[in-house]
Amino acid sequence: MATIVYTSGTTAAPKGALITHGNFVGQVLNVGAAYTGVVREGGNTVIFLPMAHVLARGLQLICLANGMRIAHLSDPRDVVPALGVLKPTFLVVVPRVLQKIQASAAAAAARKHLGRVWVAAQQTAVEWGRFAEAHDADPSVRAPLGLRARHAVFDRLFYARLRALVGGRLDYLLSGAAALDAELSLFFRGLGLPVIEGYGLTETTAPLTGNMPDAISAGTVGVPMPGTSVRISDRGEVLARGVGVFAGYRRPADNQDAFTDGYFHTGDLGELDELGRLTLKGRIKDVIVTVGGKTITPAIWEGYVEGDPLVAHAVMVGEGKPYLGGLVLLDPESVTAWAEREGINDLAGLRIPDDGCAVQIEDARLLSTIGKAVSAANAKLARSEQVRTFVLLLADLSEANGMVTPTMKLKRTAFTERARHIVENLYAESRSQA
């Protein structure tokens, strides 16, 4: 046994995972072999996750074993200012960081009265990203001349500056811990900053699957790591076996349903395509069954809404209810910046509560803006999967408050428990209006 690492407890009480020396060494050898172009001698990275997190520990070992330099920062807010000095060759981030970079670039362009130009640049980057993925699959594929010309212009105007902002040496961004919107991935690919999305758990000693540098597929979390096997159960659950899969939980009772035929039950829903790439569909424990018997996976709608930079987290509710509702947690920094851009100086109630609870925001302008994101998300889904009513909330989204994990995932159980009265009021108000 090397260590006991506790799970983040997003949907249940934390469990002590028994990680062996073999788990760590297996990941060092196999991940290092799969990503020789990323973890390499002469390269360097920045780790700002706490070292109690298995991803940070595994990443450190992989980098050290391959001759890389590592800088540790205790506060994620220090990362962007430090990138110009540290000049990393790759960086592990969560999707929220990428959303904020994109939103900051849009805000900077708007301040210079280049908002429309930026919109065209953003669309061009996404289009370029699609052609880059097609080129990975077939090197004979080339982008049209017009696209190449637009990309060259926008590279001088915007893209090169964004690459310089992150140090100017960044070859790849590695994204995990939460679902990454496919269009956001394509956008960064178009900037010249390819995003390698992966997937793993505490119980798999971090990386279980990942996109390969020369075969990135936006919207998937890639193929199983070397030394790892993944299969999908009859109920759609992702099952895993391999060098990184842990020895079991500290409490014997937690192991009762953890394994089947040597495969660990991840608790995640997913699908494998014909090339063996995994696409995640949400957590089994998060599935909602409405009063009409409809079974809904909330992660899809939540992911669409969370693509809006003003939204920190979206939570679908509706267990045992006649229809679905949504709790939309605002990102205070992004909302403040949005209000400044819009010339709004009277946002009422925009104060983070200090009592650990969530407060409802009734501002009509914010409701209208977020309502567009909710409507866009609904339009992509079947009627039975659409959210009929939603509320905007503000809460202290700090790890110290017990609302999020070190990788900024929302602790769903803790949040919904604190917001129970808001959910009850949501449906009570809808009934009274009906």
Side-chain angles (χ1 to χ4, degrees):
M1 202 61 55
T3 184
I4 300 172
V5 181
Y6 278 81
T7 60
S8 58
T10 53
T11 57
K15 301 175 183 177
L18 307 177
I19 309 294
T20 68
H21 292 283
N23 292 144
F24 278 127
V25 173
Q27 293 289 54
V28 166
L29 295 174
N30 286 281
V31 175
Y35 293 95
T36 54
V38 181
V39 285
R40 54 180 174 79
E41 191 165 353
N44 63 297
T45 191
V46 182
I47 295 178
F48 49 91
L49 285 170
M51 292 306 292
H53 196 283
V54 73
L55 175 58
R57 296 175 69 175
L59 177 62
Q60 176 175 258
L61 292 173
I62 292 166
C63 290
L64 288 174
N66 288 277
M68 294 191 65
R69 188 184 77 216
I70 305 168
H72 290 276
L73 293 175
S74 61
D75 190 339
R77 290 173 295 186
D78 295 334
V79 174
V80 173
L83 293 179
V85 177
L86 298 171
K87 299 185 184 302
T89 55
F90 86 85
L91 196 63
V92 175
V93 296
V94 295
R96 189 67 189 156
V97 171
L98 301 181
Q99 290 174 346
K100 288 199 170 188
I101 291 173
Q102 187 186 55
S104 296
R111 286 194 296 271
K112 296 176 182 178
H113 307 289
L114 294 172
R116 290 186 179 180
V117 181
W118 170 255
V119 170
Q122 186 170 312
Q123 292 170 345
T124 297
V126 172
E127 195 175 346
W128 187 269
R130 287 199 179 96
F131 272 96
E133 285 198 3
H135 180 76
D136 286 345
D138 181 0
S140 67
V141 172
R142 294 197 67 194
L145 181 61
L147 176 59
R148 296 204 301 271
R150 280 186 284 124
H151 187 270
V153 171
F154 290 136
D155 191 74
R156 294 187 64 182
L157 276 176
F158 298 113
Y159 308 159
R161 297 183 184 187
L162 286 172
R163 294 195 299 271
L165 182 67
V166 293
R169 294 181 67 219
L170 206 60
D171 297 321
Y172 295 98
L173 291 157
L174 278 67
S175 176
L180 174 66
D181 179 70
E183 192 162 296
L184 186 63
S185 176
L186 292 170
F187 166 76
F188 275 89
R189 181 75 183 268
L191 295 184
L193 297 171
V195 182
I196 298 174
E197 188 176 6
Y199 159 67
L201 306 164
T202 301
E203 295 92 337
T204 61
T205 321
L208 175 63
T209 70
N211 278 279
M212 294 296 124
D214 59 350
I216 296 174
S217 177
T220 80
V221 291
V223 297
M225 290 287 100
T228 299
S229 174
V230 170
R231 71 184 188 190
I232 308 298
S233 74
D234 292 341
R235 62 190 298 206
E237 183 182 9
V238 179
L239 308 178
R241 183 173 66 183
V243 294
V245 176
F246 73 143
Y249 293 111
R250 185 179 185 186
R251 285 193 340 131
D254 291 331
N255 293 313
Q256 187 172 353
D257 300 314
F259 293 88
T260 298
D261 298 330
Y263 278 82
F264 170 63
H265 288 261
T266 65
D268 289 308
L269 296 167
E271 295 176 353
L272 290 169
D273 67 13
E274 67 280 359
L275 297 178
R277 296 174 302 204
L278 178 65
T279 299
L280 296 176
K281 299 295 184 182
R283 296 283 296 173
I284 290 177
K285 289 184 178 180
D286 294 343
V287 167
I288 294 171
V289 181
T290 65
V291 72
K294 292 285 186 181
T295 300
I296 309 296
T297 302
I300 300 172
W301 178 87
E302 292 169 354
Y304 288 142
V305 176
E306 288 172 359
D308 189 297
L310 301 183
V311 178
H313 301 282
V315 178
M316 180 185 283
V317 295
E319 180 69 29
K321 304 295 184 182
Y323 53 86
L324 301 171
L327 308 179
V328 180
L329 275 161
L330 297 171
D331 182 299
E333 291 182 11
S334 298
V335 169
T336 300
W338 168 82
E340 291 177 357
R341 292 196 304 273
E342 297 293 318
I344 297 172
N345 302 311
D346 59 342
L347 271 180
L350 196 67
R351 185 184 65 83
I352 299 176
D354 54 12
D355 58 0
C357 296
V359 295
Q360 189 167 339
I361 304 299
E362 302 281 6
D363 188 270
R365 293 156 298 190
L366 268 176
L367 283 166
S368 174
T369 298
I370 302 301
K372 295 175 184 176
V374 171
S375 296
N378 283 343
K380 298 176 183 178
L381 300 170
R383 185 172 179 81
S384 61
E385 299 172 311
Q386 295 176 3
V387 162
R388 189 181 301 182
T389 183
F390 71 95
V391 293
L392 301 183
L393 304 173
L394 266 182
D396 178 7
L397 297 177
S398 67
E399 190 182 353
N401 193 35
M403 294 282 277
V404 296
T405 71
T407 52
M408 301 308 293
K409 286 186 291 188
L410 185 70
K411 291 188 176 181
R412 194 183 189 95
T413 303
F415 169 68
T416 52
E417 181 62 31
R418 295 184 193 183
R420 182 187 297 177
H421 64 290
I422 295 174
V423 176
E424 291 173 354
N425 290 339
L426 178 69
Y427 285 96
E429 290 176 6
S430 297
R431 284 195 299 270
S432 64
Q433 291 170 4

